[in-house]
Amino acid sequence: MPFLISPVLTPGALARTPQPVLPTGDGLLLRPWRAEDAPAVHAAFQDPVLRKWHLRSCDSEEEAAGWIAQWRGVWEGECEAQWAVVAEGTDELVGRVALRQILLADGIAEVAYWTVRSARGRGVAVRAARTVTRWALEEIGFHRLELFHATANEASCRVATKAGFRAEGTKRSALLHPDGWHDMHVHARVHGD
């Protein structure tokens, strides 16, 4: 049975070109992950604040290297796009930003991010989220980007709001964390916002 509408994005919308480096314009770069980022990723996940809101632990540099290998490979599959957020000039890792749960035909993806402890309070997550959002909506042609965070994660809520993601509601008891089920805030940006 044929569809009555055309897909928003077709296969190859991402993978037909290499994953880009995206400058924020204010001192940060979003770049593809490199194998040599493993020690910094492992170090980031030793931070109790990051571990509180993330569902995975990273127990070794080898494990971090495995994650990076996965993150580097998802571009071609067009189901995710993962970037290291680094300081321009020094290449110091300050965070990660991603498009997850990509549905090309529907033009939808989820924005996710984290920052290293030393980068918090400097607007790193906001700047990275804005940059990947602008690129996804304006350059690639996604129609809707969603962002989810635990309702108790007030810092992530501030990031979502400052990055222009409107609050849309709450998914009750939607995600299991180590300390139990969390309600999740839903935020979104659509093309034209």
Side-chain angles (χ1 to χ4, degrees), residues 130-171:
R130 282 182 185 155
T131 299
V132 79
T133 297
R134 180 181 31 76
W135 173 82
L137 294 175
E138 296 174 15
E139 293 184 36
I140 300 302
F142 280 89
H143 176 71
R144 177 182 170 86
L145 298 179
E146 299 175 334
L147 193 156
F148 303 92
H149 64 81
T151 57
N153 189 342
E154 295 175 4
S156 195
C157 195
R158 286 190 300 273
V159 168
T161 301
K162 288 178 181 179
F165 283 76
R166 294 182 189 172
E168 293 189 334
T170 303
K171 293 175 71 175

Side-chain angles (χ1 to χ4, degrees), residues 58-162:
C58 184
D59 297 326
S60 68
E61 289 182 16
E62 292 76 23
E63 185 175 7
W67 290 4
I68 290 168
Q70 284 181 306
W71 294 340
R72 290 173 54 130
V74 294
W75 180 259
E76 287 76 27
E78 296 184 305
C79 58
E80 289 187 10
Q82 301 268 350
W83 284 268
V85 181
V86 299
E88 196 170 24
T90 66
D91 205 46
E92 173 192 2
L93 181 70
V94 293
R96 165 252 190 187
V97 69
L99 294 178
R100 301 171 357 127
Q101 309 294 326
I102 293 172
L103 300 173
L104 289 177
D106 295 330
I108 297 173
E110 175 188 341
V111 173
Y113 47 79
W114 52 256
T115 57
V116 302
R117 181 189 312 228
S118 63
R120 291 200 193 109
R122 297 184 357 214
V124 168
V126 172
R127 291 150 56 201
R130 282 182 185 155
T131 299
V132 79
T133 297
R134 180 181 31 76
W135 173 82
L137 294 175
E138 296 174 15
E139 293 184 36
I140 300 302
F142 280 89
H143 176 71
R144 177 182 170 86
L145 298 179
E146 299 175 334
L147 193 156
F148 303 92
H149 64 81
T151 57
N153 189 342
E154 295 175 4
S156 195
C157 195
R158 286 190 300 273
V159 168
T161 301
K162 288 178 181 179

